Amino acid sequence: MLIKIKTNLDIPSSEITDKKLYLNRREFIRAASMAAVTAASGSLGSDLLMSDTVQAGEKLEGVVKGPYSTDEKPTSYTAITTYNNFYEFGTDKESPAEIAPKTLKPRPWSVAVEGEINKPAVYHLEDLIPKTLEERVYRHRCVEAWSMVIPWVGFPLADLIKRFEPTSKAKFVEFTTLYDPEQMPGQKRAILKWPYVEGLRMDEAMNPLTILAVGLYGEVLPNQNGAPLRLVVPWKYGFKSIKSIVKIRFVEEQPMNTWALAAPDEYGFYANVNPEVDHPRWSQARERRVGEFFKRKTLMFNGYAEQVAHMYANMDLRTYF
Ligand code: MTE
């Protein structure tokens, strides 16, 4: 049986913002431009990403090497872009690459930013993307016990959050994917509760490892990888890294994330990569790196313990899985 899920998140890409929000947006751009001038990096937005006709695979300019990159060999471009989890385009690994390039229109794109912040508005994508983008080569560990190494292109989420001026009540950040069954035909089936939602605790969102990605391998992000804007949280299982984001909401209470809602005994809110806590149906101690034959040991926090372990120092990671 299909369940029709009502949503107020169907933001048309040609969103006409009301005057208050529009003014907020202008203020935001002015403040951001001033910050950019101070940083002597020119105007806002990577020039190519400002264009509504930009295509997946076009080369991104102004990409610098970011911190925290692993020197492990990146997984092939073909594997990264044809072996995907994106249930809005089907539950198998191949469908997203077959369907998403034909049906998803990632530009023009807007993101509603709301909740416990001083600068709520519906922002056009290009107003959110800084001129200088970073390459971050991160390990990517899926809960299904396979992994990849992905050279993302993006920018720190913390930089963006600071511009929205969160209030003291902002304890968590909730992210929502587009809901549009015409562009995302998998949403015509009630496999998950749509739209896909994920959340982070505020300190996780502000951690310098957390980025929003707009590209990979130096090129504009393909639709199947979450164009035009997706989260990347490399010490957590892949399902936390939500794709094709249309809403960012700052909240006081821990948000309910899609997979924890679907199967609360199997998927938690934290979803930190942890070889010592098995999934109820399989071990998380080892993983298969896509393209390799032998399995390898999974590392605590996916190898990022030095940067993130302190955030969970007083938590029982079996309870908060
Ligand atoms: N985001 C949305 N909106 N829908 C999804 O089905 N799948 C998640 C995550 N983000 C998913 C999503 C899962 S399970 C994983 S492992 C990663 O995306 C996969 O990212 P990749 O296809 O770019 O490797």
mmCIF file of all heavy atoms in Angstrom, residues 145-190:
data_model
loop_
_atom_site.group_PDB
_atom_site.id
_atom_site.type_symbol
_atom_site.label_atom_id
_atom_site.label_comp_id
_atom_site.label_asym_id
_atom_site.label_seq_id
_atom_site.Cartn_x
_atom_site.Cartn_y
_atom_site.Cartn_z
ATOM 1 N N ALA A 145 28.684 -1.975 5.047
ATOM 2 C CA ALA A 145 30.030 -2.557 5.169
ATOM 3 C C ALA A 145 30.841 -2.531 3.874
ATOM 4 O O ALA A 145 31.724 -3.368 3.669
ATOM 5 C CB ALA A 145 29.991 -3.956 5.776
ATOM 6 N N TRP A 146 30.542 -1.558 3.003
ATOM 7 C CA TRP A 146 31.477 -1.267 1.910
ATOM 8 C C TRP A 146 31.968 0.164 2.102
ATOM 9 O O TRP A 146 31.361 0.949 2.844
ATOM 10 C CB TRP A 146 30.866 -1.466 0.518
ATOM 11 C CG TRP A 146 29.557 -0.760 0.259
ATOM 12 C CD1 TRP A 146 28.303 -1.310 0.377
ATOM 13 C CD2 TRP A 146 29.354 0.608 -0.136
ATOM 14 N NE1 TRP A 146 27.343 -0.359 0.083
ATOM 15 C CE2 TRP A 146 27.952 0.816 -0.244
ATOM 16 C CE3 TRP A 146 30.203 1.684 -0.418
ATOM 17 C CZ2 TRP A 146 27.398 2.043 -0.611
ATOM 18 C CZ3 TRP A 146 29.645 2.902 -0.785
ATOM 19 C CH2 TRP A 146 28.260 3.069 -0.870
ATOM 20 N N SER A 147 33.084 0.458 1.473
ATOM 21 C CA SER A 147 33.642 1.808 1.639
ATOM 22 C C SER A 147 34.285 2.286 0.343
ATOM 23 O O SER A 147 34.514 1.493 -0.582
ATOM 24 C CB SER A 147 34.656 1.830 2.779
ATOM 25 O OG SER A 147 35.759 1.012 2.477
ATOM 26 N N MET A 148 34.547 3.567 0.303
ATOM 27 C CA MET A 148 35.215 4.197 -0.845
ATOM 28 C C MET A 148 36.128 5.289 -0.292
ATOM 29 O O MET A 148 36.072 5.617 0.894
ATOM 30 C CB MET A 148 34.206 4.873 -1.780
ATOM 31 C CG MET A 148 33.222 3.954 -2.454
ATOM 32 S SD MET A 148 32.285 4.878 -3.703
ATOM 33 C CE MET A 148 31.105 3.627 -4.207
ATOM 34 N N VAL A 149 36.950 5.856 -1.180
ATOM 35 C CA VAL A 149 37.692 7.079 -0.862
ATOM 36 C C VAL A 149 37.263 8.096 -1.914
ATOM 37 O O VAL A 149 37.401 7.844 -3.116
ATOM 38 C CB VAL A 149 39.216 6.850 -0.906
ATOM 39 C CG1 VAL A 149 39.961 8.168 -0.737
ATOM 40 C CG2 VAL A 149 39.626 5.863 0.188
ATOM 41 N N ILE A 150 36.709 9.234 -1.446
ATOM 42 C CA ILE A 150 36.090 10.172 -2.400
ATOM 43 C C ILE A 150 36.734 11.555 -2.310
ATOM 44 O O ILE A 150 36.777 12.154 -1.234
ATOM 45 C CB ILE A 150 34.564 10.271 -2.163
ATOM 46 C CG1 ILE A 150 33.936 8.868 -2.275
ATOM 47 C CG2 ILE A 150 33.920 11.250 -3.143
ATOM 48 C CD1 ILE A 150 32.422 8.821 -2.206
ATOM 49 N N PRO A 151 37.243 12.056 -3.427
ATOM 50 C CA PRO A 151 37.769 13.434 -3.437
ATOM 51 C C PRO A 151 36.627 14.430 -3.627
ATOM 52 O O PRO A 151 36.278 14.806 -4.748
ATOM 53 C CB PRO A 151 38.736 13.451 -4.632
ATOM 54 C CG PRO A 151 38.438 12.230 -5.439
ATOM 55 C CD PRO A 151 37.418 11.394 -4.745
ATOM 56 N N TRP A 152 36.024 14.811 -2.498
ATOM 57 C CA TRP A 152 34.904 15.767 -2.550
ATOM 58 C C TRP A 152 35.403 17.165 -2.871
ATOM 59 O O TRP A 152 36.532 17.523 -2.524
ATOM 60 C CB TRP A 152 34.187 15.837 -1.198
ATOM 61 C CG TRP A 152 33.570 14.571 -0.721
ATOM 62 C CD1 TRP A 152 33.990 13.795 0.325
ATOM 63 C CD2 TRP A 152 32.412 13.911 -1.258
ATOM 64 N NE1 TRP A 152 33.159 12.704 0.468
ATOM 65 C CE2 TRP A 152 32.185 12.750 -0.488
ATOM 66 C CE3 TRP A 152 31.538 14.196 -2.316
ATOM 67 C CZ2 TRP A 152 31.125 11.875 -0.737
ATOM 68 C CZ3 TRP A 152 30.481 13.333 -2.567
ATOM 69 C CH2 TRP A 152 30.284 12.182 -1.789
ATOM 70 N N VAL A 153 34.539 17.993 -3.411
ATOM 71 C CA VAL A 153 34.782 19.432 -3.501
ATOM 72 C C VAL A 153 33.650 20.090 -2.722
ATOM 73 O O VAL A 153 32.473 19.814 -3.001
ATOM 74 C CB VAL A 153 34.780 19.933 -4.957
ATOM 75 C CG1 VAL A 153 34.970 21.452 -4.981
ATOM 76 C CG2 VAL A 153 35.864 19.241 -5.769
ATOM 77 N N GLY A 154 34.019 20.921 -1.754
ATOM 78 C CA GLY A 154 32.973 21.536 -0.939
ATOM 79 C C GLY A 154 33.519 22.626 -0.049
ATOM 80 O O GLY A 154 34.574 23.207 -0.340
ATOM 81 N N PHE A 155 32.805 22.872 1.035
ATOM 82 C CA PHE A 155 33.220 23.932 1.968
ATOM 83 C C PHE A 155 32.694 23.582 3.356
ATOM 84 O O PHE A 155 31.705 22.842 3.476
ATOM 85 C CB PHE A 155 32.697 25.300 1.496
ATOM 86 C CG PHE A 155 31.207 25.358 1.300
ATOM 87 C CD1 PHE A 155 30.381 25.832 2.308
ATOM 88 C CD2 PHE A 155 30.621 24.922 0.114
ATOM 89 C CE1 PHE A 155 29.011 25.878 2.139
ATOM 90 C CE2 PHE A 155 29.234 24.959 -0.062
ATOM 91 C CZ PHE A 155 28.432 25.445 0.947
ATOM 92 N N PRO A 156 33.350 24.092 4.407
ATOM 93 C CA PRO A 156 32.933 23.725 5.765
ATOM 94 C C PRO A 156 31.505 24.199 6.076
ATOM 95 O O PRO A 156 31.176 25.368 5.850
ATOM 96 C CB PRO A 156 33.948 24.448 6.667
ATOM 97 C CG PRO A 156 35.122 24.737 5.786
ATOM 98 C CD PRO A 156 34.554 24.954 4.405
ATOM 99 N N LEU A 157 30.710 23.295 6.609
ATOM 100 C CA LEU A 157 29.348 23.662 7.020
ATOM 101 C C LEU A 157 29.401 24.749 8.097
ATOM 102 O O LEU A 157 28.556 25.640 8.134
ATOM 103 C CB LEU A 157 28.617 22.412 7.537
ATOM 104 C CG LEU A 157 27.224 22.616 8.116
ATOM 105 C CD1 LEU A 157 26.256 23.203 7.090
ATOM 106 C CD2 LEU A 157 26.675 21.310 8.670
ATOM 107 N N ALA A 158 30.427 24.689 8.967
ATOM 108 C CA ALA A 158 30.530 25.665 10.061
ATOM 109 C C ALA A 158 30.554 27.104 9.537
ATOM 110 O O ALA A 158 29.928 27.996 10.132
ATOM 111 C CB ALA A 158 31.784 25.396 10.892
ATOM 112 N N ASP A 159 31.239 27.326 8.424
ATOM 113 C CA ASP A 159 31.323 28.689 7.871
ATOM 114 C C ASP A 159 29.930 29.223 7.528
ATOM 115 O O ASP A 159 29.613 30.389 7.767
ATOM 116 C CB ASP A 159 32.179 28.712 6.594
ATOM 117 C CG ASP A 159 33.650 28.434 6.888
ATOM 118 O OD1 ASP A 159 34.014 28.349 8.081
ATOM 119 O OD2 ASP A 159 34.428 28.291 5.917
ATOM 120 N N LEU A 160 29.117 28.344 6.955
ATOM 121 C CA LEU A 160 27.772 28.743 6.556
ATOM 122 C C LEU A 160 26.904 28.982 7.798
ATOM 123 O O LEU A 160 26.201 29.989 7.893
ATOM 124 C CB LEU A 160 27.172 27.624 5.699
ATOM 125 C CG LEU A 160 25.946 27.965 4.872
ATOM 126 C CD1 LEU A 160 26.222 29.112 3.920
ATOM 127 C CD2 LEU A 160 25.484 26.736 4.106
ATOM 128 N N ILE A 161 26.982 28.052 8.742
ATOM 129 C CA ILE A 161 26.150 28.161 9.952
ATOM 130 C C ILE A 161 26.411 29.480 10.676
ATOM 131 O O ILE A 161 25.484 30.156 11.113
ATOM 132 C CB ILE A 161 26.396 26.951 10.882
ATOM 133 C CG1 ILE A 161 25.815 25.687 10.242
ATOM 134 C CG2 ILE A 161 25.787 27.189 12.265
ATOM 135 C CD1 ILE A 161 25.975 24.420 11.063
ATOM 136 N N LYS A 162 27.668 29.876 10.759
ATOM 137 C CA LYS A 162 27.996 31.125 11.466
ATOM 138 C C LYS A 162 27.285 32.305 10.825
ATOM 139 O O LYS A 162 26.841 33.228 11.507
ATOM 140 C CB LYS A 162 29.510 31.353 11.452
ATOM 141 C CG LYS A 162 30.245 30.495 12.469
ATOM 142 C CD LYS A 162 31.751 30.756 12.405
ATOM 143 C CE LYS A 162 32.520 29.530 12.842
ATOM 144 N NZ LYS A 162 33.841 29.419 12.211
ATOM 145 N N ARG A 163 27.146 32.296 9.514
ATOM 146 C CA ARG A 163 26.491 33.410 8.826
ATOM 147 C C ARG A 163 24.996 33.497 9.156
ATOM 148 O O ARG A 163 24.411 34.569 9.077
ATOM 149 C CB ARG A 163 26.635 33.250 7.311
ATOM 150 C CG ARG A 163 28.045 33.346 6.817
ATOM 151 C CD ARG A 163 27.999 33.667 5.333
ATOM 152 N NE ARG A 163 29.022 32.981 4.586
ATOM 153 C CZ ARG A 163 28.910 32.703 3.277
ATOM 154 N NH1 ARG A 163 27.819 33.013 2.615
ATOM 155 N NH2 ARG A 163 29.893 32.104 2.648
ATOM 156 N N PHE A 164 24.377 32.369 9.521
ATOM 157 C CA PHE A 164 22.946 32.389 9.849
ATOM 158 C C PHE A 164 22.692 32.877 11.271
ATOM 159 O O PHE A 164 21.549 33.073 11.658
ATOM 160 C CB PHE A 164 22.335 30.982 9.697
ATOM 161 C CG PHE A 164 22.473 30.392 8.325
ATOM 162 C CD1 PHE A 164 22.796 29.049 8.153
ATOM 163 C CD2 PHE A 164 22.284 31.173 7.199
ATOM 164 C CE1 PHE A 164 22.921 28.498 6.891
ATOM 165 C CE2 PHE A 164 22.404 30.631 5.926
ATOM 166 C CZ PHE A 164 22.731 29.294 5.766
ATOM 167 N N GLU A 165 23.740 33.013 12.059
ATOM 168 C CA GLU A 165 23.640 33.471 13.451
ATOM 169 C C GLU A 165 22.666 32.635 14.278
ATOM 170 O O GLU A 165 21.577 33.097 14.649
ATOM 171 C CB GLU A 165 23.241 34.950 13.498
ATOM 172 C CG GLU A 165 24.288 35.850 12.869
ATOM 173 C CD GLU A 165 23.866 37.320 12.889
ATOM 174 O OE1 GLU A 165 22.877 37.673 13.581
ATOM 175 O OE2 GLU A 165 24.528 38.111 12.204
ATOM 176 N N PRO A 166 23.041 31.400 14.607
ATOM 177 C CA PRO A 166 22.173 30.559 15.441
ATOM 178 C C PRO A 166 21.961 31.181 16.818
ATOM 179 O O PRO A 166 22.852 31.839 17.349
ATOM 180 C CB PRO A 166 22.961 29.250 15.581
ATOM 181 C CG PRO A 166 24.018 29.282 14.538
ATOM 182 C CD PRO A 166 24.286 30.728 14.216
ATOM 183 N N THR A 167 20.771 30.983 17.389
ATOM 184 C CA THR A 167 20.499 31.459 18.749
ATOM 185 C C THR A 167 20.980 30.389 19.738
ATOM 186 O O THR A 167 21.365 29.285 19.332
ATOM 187 C CB THR A 167 18.982 31.691 18.955
ATOM 188 O OG1 THR A 167 18.347 30.411 19.003
ATOM 189 C CG2 THR A 167 18.380 32.545 17.852
ATOM 190 N N SER A 168 20.883 30.714 21.043
ATOM 191 C CA SER A 168 21.359 29.763 22.053
ATOM 192 C C SER A 168 20.465 28.513 22.103
ATOM 193 O O SER A 168 20.829 27.498 22.680
ATOM 194 C CB SER A 168 21.405 30.431 23.417
ATOM 195 O OG SER A 168 20.116 30.907 23.731
ATOM 196 N N LYS A 169 19.280 28.583 21.496
ATOM 197 C CA LYS A 169 18.371 27.428 21.481
ATOM 198 C C LYS A 169 18.713 26.436 20.368
ATOM 199 O O LYS A 169 18.129 25.358 20.303
ATOM 200 C CB LYS A 169 16.937 27.903 21.280
ATOM 201 C CG LYS A 169 16.309 28.471 22.512
ATOM 202 C CD LYS A 169 14.835 28.673 22.229
ATOM 203 C CE LYS A 169 14.103 29.228 23.411
ATOM 204 N NZ LYS A 169 12.780 29.720 22.985
ATOM 205 N N ALA A 170 19.600 26.794 19.484
ATOM 206 C CA ALA A 170 19.938 25.902 18.362
ATOM 207 C C ALA A 170 20.867 24.800 18.857
ATOM 208 O O ALA A 170 22.066 24.987 18.988
ATOM 209 C CB ALA A 170 20.603 26.712 17.247
ATOM 210 N N LYS A 171 20.285 23.636 19.146
ATOM 211 C CA LYS A 171 21.076 22.520 19.691
ATOM 212 C C LYS A 171 21.350 21.451 18.621
ATOM 213 O O LYS A 171 22.280 20.660 18.755
ATOM 214 C CB LYS A 171 20.326 21.865 20.853
ATOM 215 C CG LYS A 171 19.974 22.841 21.976
ATOM 216 C CD LYS A 171 21.116 22.984 22.962
ATOM 217 C CE LYS A 171 20.713 23.711 24.217
ATOM 218 N NZ LYS A 171 20.948 25.165 24.117
ATOM 219 N N PHE A 172 20.499 21.402 17.609
ATOM 220 C CA PHE A 172 20.633 20.411 16.535
ATOM 221 C C PHE A 172 20.342 21.086 15.190
ATOM 222 O O PHE A 172 19.686 22.125 15.151
ATOM 223 C CB PHE A 172 19.625 19.265 16.711
ATOM 224 C CG PHE A 172 19.864 18.431 17.945
ATOM 225 C CD1 PHE A 172 19.304 18.791 19.162
ATOM 226 C CD2 PHE A 172 20.655 17.286 17.887
ATOM 227 C CE1 PHE A 172 19.523 18.022 20.306
ATOM 228 C CE2 PHE A 172 20.880 16.507 19.019
ATOM 229 C CZ PHE A 172 20.309 16.882 20.230
ATOM 230 N N VAL A 173 20.830 20.453 14.119
ATOM 231 C CA VAL A 173 20.510 20.924 12.770
ATOM 232 C C VAL A 173 19.830 19.780 12.027
ATOM 233 O O VAL A 173 20.326 18.655 12.024
ATOM 234 C CB VAL A 173 21.770 21.347 11.984
ATOM 235 C CG1 VAL A 173 21.372 22.128 10.735
ATOM 236 C CG2 VAL A 173 22.714 22.150 12.837
ATOM 237 N N GLU A 174 18.703 20.098 11.418
ATOM 238 C CA GLU A 174 17.949 19.102 10.655
ATOM 239 C C GLU A 174 18.039 19.460 9.169
ATOM 240 O O GLU A 174 17.893 20.625 8.794
ATOM 241 C CB GLU A 174 16.483 19.157 11.111
ATOM 242 C CG GLU A 174 15.571 18.195 10.413
ATOM 243 C CD GLU A 174 14.119 18.515 10.745
ATOM 244 O OE1 GLU A 174 13.530 19.388 10.071
ATOM 245 O OE2 GLU A 174 13.577 17.895 11.677
ATOM 246 N N PHE A 175 18.306 18.458 8.348
ATOM 247 C CA PHE A 175 18.439 18.670 6.901
ATOM 248 C C PHE A 175 17.344 17.874 6.195
ATOM 249 O O PHE A 175 17.023 16.752 6.609
ATOM 250 C CB PHE A 175 19.788 18.156 6.399
ATOM 251 C CG PHE A 175 20.973 18.772 7.086
ATOM 252 C CD1 PHE A 175 21.440 18.257 8.289
ATOM 253 C CD2 PHE A 175 21.614 19.874 6.532
ATOM 254 C CE1 PHE A 175 22.533 18.816 8.931
ATOM 255 C CE2 PHE A 175 22.708 20.441 7.170
ATOM 256 C CZ PHE A 175 23.174 19.910 8.375
ATOM 257 N N THR A 176 16.816 18.417 5.115
ATOM 258 C CA THR A 176 15.758 17.722 4.380
ATOM 259 C C THR A 176 16.074 17.712 2.891
ATOM 260 O O THR A 176 16.501 18.725 2.328
ATOM 261 C CB THR A 176 14.400 18.428 4.617
ATOM 262 O OG1 THR A 176 14.181 18.536 6.028
ATOM 263 C CG2 THR A 176 13.262 17.667 4.003
ATOM 264 N N THR A 177 15.828 16.571 2.270
ATOM 265 C CA THR A 177 16.007 16.408 0.824
ATOM 266 C C THR A 177 14.764 16.902 0.091
ATOM 267 O O THR A 177 13.663 16.913 0.661
ATOM 268 C CB THR A 177 16.242 14.905 0.513
ATOM 269 O OG1 THR A 177 17.478 14.514 1.083
ATOM 270 C CG2 THR A 177 16.266 14.603 -0.976
ATOM 271 N N LEU A 178 14.921 17.255 -1.158
ATOM 272 C CA LEU A 178 13.786 17.630 -2.012
ATOM 273 C C LEU A 178 12.687 16.567 -1.964
ATOM 274 O O LEU A 178 12.972 15.372 -1.941
ATOM 275 C CB LEU A 178 14.299 17.761 -3.461
ATOM 276 C CG LEU A 178 13.251 18.048 -4.534
ATOM 277 C CD1 LEU A 178 12.749 19.479 -4.439
ATOM 278 C CD2 LEU A 178 13.831 17.792 -5.924
ATOM 279 N N TYR A 179 11.434 17.019 -1.944
ATOM 280 C CA TYR A 179 10.312 16.090 -2.149
ATOM 281 C C TYR A 179 9.623 16.469 -3.445
ATOM 282 O O TYR A 179 8.985 17.524 -3.536
ATOM 283 C CB TYR A 179 9.328 16.140 -0.976
ATOM 284 C CG TYR A 179 8.138 15.239 -1.224
ATOM 285 C CD1 TYR A 179 8.286 13.856 -1.179
ATOM 286 C CD2 TYR A 179 6.891 15.758 -1.570
ATOM 287 C CE1 TYR A 179 7.222 13.013 -1.448
ATOM 288 C CE2 TYR A 179 5.816 14.919 -1.840
ATOM 289 C CZ TYR A 179 6.000 13.549 -1.777
ATOM 290 O OH TYR A 179 4.943 12.713 -2.059
ATOM 291 N N ASP A 180 9.790 15.665 -4.465
ATOM 292 C CA ASP A 180 9.157 15.902 -5.760
ATOM 293 C C ASP A 180 9.171 14.584 -6.535
ATOM 294 O O ASP A 180 10.155 14.245 -7.197
ATOM 295 C CB ASP A 180 9.933 16.993 -6.528
ATOM 296 C CG ASP A 180 9.288 17.298 -7.879
ATOM 297 O OD1 ASP A 180 8.444 16.502 -8.344
ATOM 298 O OD2 ASP A 180 9.636 18.338 -8.475
ATOM 299 N N PRO A 181 8.083 13.819 -6.420
ATOM 300 C CA PRO A 181 8.061 12.487 -7.040
ATOM 301 C C PRO A 181 8.250 12.511 -8.562
ATOM 302 O O PRO A 181 8.601 11.475 -9.135
ATOM 303 C CB PRO A 181 6.673 11.951 -6.669
ATOM 304 C CG PRO A 181 6.268 12.732 -5.467
ATOM 305 C CD PRO A 181 6.872 14.096 -5.643
ATOM 306 N N GLU A 182 8.022 13.661 -9.206
ATOM 307 C CA GLU A 182 8.278 13.708 -10.654
ATOM 308 C C GLU A 182 9.778 13.717 -10.916
ATOM 309 O O GLU A 182 10.274 13.037 -11.804
ATOM 310 C CB GLU A 182 7.613 14.943 -11.284
ATOM 311 C CG GLU A 182 6.099 14.900 -11.252
ATOM 312 C CD GLU A 182 5.525 13.559 -11.742
ATOM 313 O OE1 GLU A 182 5.940 13.077 -12.812
ATOM 314 O OE2 GLU A 182 4.677 12.983 -11.021
ATOM 315 N N GLN A 183 10.514 14.490 -10.103
ATOM 316 C CA GLN A 183 11.976 14.524 -10.270
ATOM 317 C C GLN A 183 12.648 13.334 -9.595
ATOM 318 O O GLN A 183 13.744 12.943 -9.988
ATOM 319 C CB GLN A 183 12.544 15.813 -9.647
ATOM 320 C CG GLN A 183 12.165 17.082 -10.376
ATOM 321 C CD GLN A 183 13.010 18.250 -9.894
ATOM 322 O OE1 GLN A 183 14.233 18.223 -9.969
ATOM 323 N NE2 GLN A 183 12.353 19.276 -9.399
ATOM 324 N N MET A 184 11.997 12.799 -8.563
ATOM 325 C CA MET A 184 12.565 11.689 -7.788
ATOM 326 C C MET A 184 11.553 10.551 -7.777
ATOM 327 O O MET A 184 10.798 10.375 -6.803
ATOM 328 C CB MET A 184 12.888 12.160 -6.364
ATOM 329 C CG MET A 184 13.930 13.261 -6.325
ATOM 330 S SD MET A 184 14.346 13.718 -4.633
ATOM 331 C CE MET A 184 16.021 14.317 -4.844
ATOM 332 N N PRO A 185 11.496 9.783 -8.876
ATOM 333 C CA PRO A 185 10.404 8.811 -9.032
ATOM 334 C C PRO A 185 10.336 7.750 -7.947
ATOM 335 O O PRO A 185 9.261 7.191 -7.701
ATOM 336 C CB PRO A 185 10.656 8.181 -10.401
ATOM 337 C CG PRO A 185 11.932 8.740 -10.911
ATOM 338 C CD PRO A 185 12.357 9.885 -10.055
ATOM 339 N N GLY A 186 11.430 7.499 -7.247
ATOM 340 C CA GLY A 186 11.398 6.526 -6.146
ATOM 341 C C GLY A 186 10.464 6.955 -5.032
ATOM 342 O O GLY A 186 10.017 6.134 -4.226
ATOM 343 N N GLN A 187 10.163 8.265 -4.977
ATOM 344 C CA GLN A 187 9.259 8.772 -3.932
ATOM 345 C C GLN A 187 7.801 8.404 -4.202
ATOM 346 O O GLN A 187 6.932 8.641 -3.366
ATOM 347 C CB GLN A 187 9.396 10.294 -3.802
ATOM 348 C CG GLN A 187 10.743 10.716 -3.208
ATOM 349 C CD GLN A 187 10.940 12.222 -3.190
ATOM 350 O OE1 GLN A 187 10.388 12.935 -4.028
ATOM 351 N NE2 GLN A 187 11.743 12.704 -2.264
ATOM 352 N N LYS A 188 7.540 7.805 -5.389
ATOM 353 C CA LYS A 188 6.171 7.341 -5.661
ATOM 354 C C LYS A 188 5.871 6.062 -4.890
ATOM 355 O O LYS A 188 4.736 5.638 -4.802
ATOM 356 C CB LYS A 188 5.979 7.129 -7.164
ATOM 357 C CG LYS A 188 5.998 8.447 -7.930
ATOM 358 C CD LYS A 188 5.868 8.257 -9.431
ATOM 359 C CE LYS A 188 5.959 9.607 -10.129
ATOM 360 N NZ LYS A 188 6.156 9.502 -11.565
ATOM 361 N N ARG A 189 6.904 5.442 -4.361
ATOM 362 C CA ARG A 189 6.723 4.234 -3.539
ATOM 363 C C ARG A 189 7.103 4.563 -2.093
ATOM 364 O O ARG A 189 8.123 5.213 -1.852
ATOM 365 C CB ARG A 189 7.600 3.100 -4.071
ATOM 366 C CG ARG A 189 7.187 2.664 -5.472
ATOM 367 C CD ARG A 189 8.191 1.682 -6.057
ATOM 368 N NE ARG A 189 8.368 0.519 -5.208
ATOM 369 C CZ ARG A 189 9.485 -0.223 -5.178
ATOM 370 N NH1 ARG A 189 10.511 0.082 -5.945
ATOM 371 N NH2 ARG A 189 9.570 -1.276 -4.387
ATOM 372 N N ALA A 190 6.312 4.063 -1.152
ATOM 373 C CA ALA A 190 6.530 4.390 0.267
ATOM 374 C C ALA A 190 7.577 3.471 0.905
ATOM 375 O O ALA A 190 7.329 2.837 1.921
ATOM 376 C CB ALA A 190 5.212 4.319 1.020
#
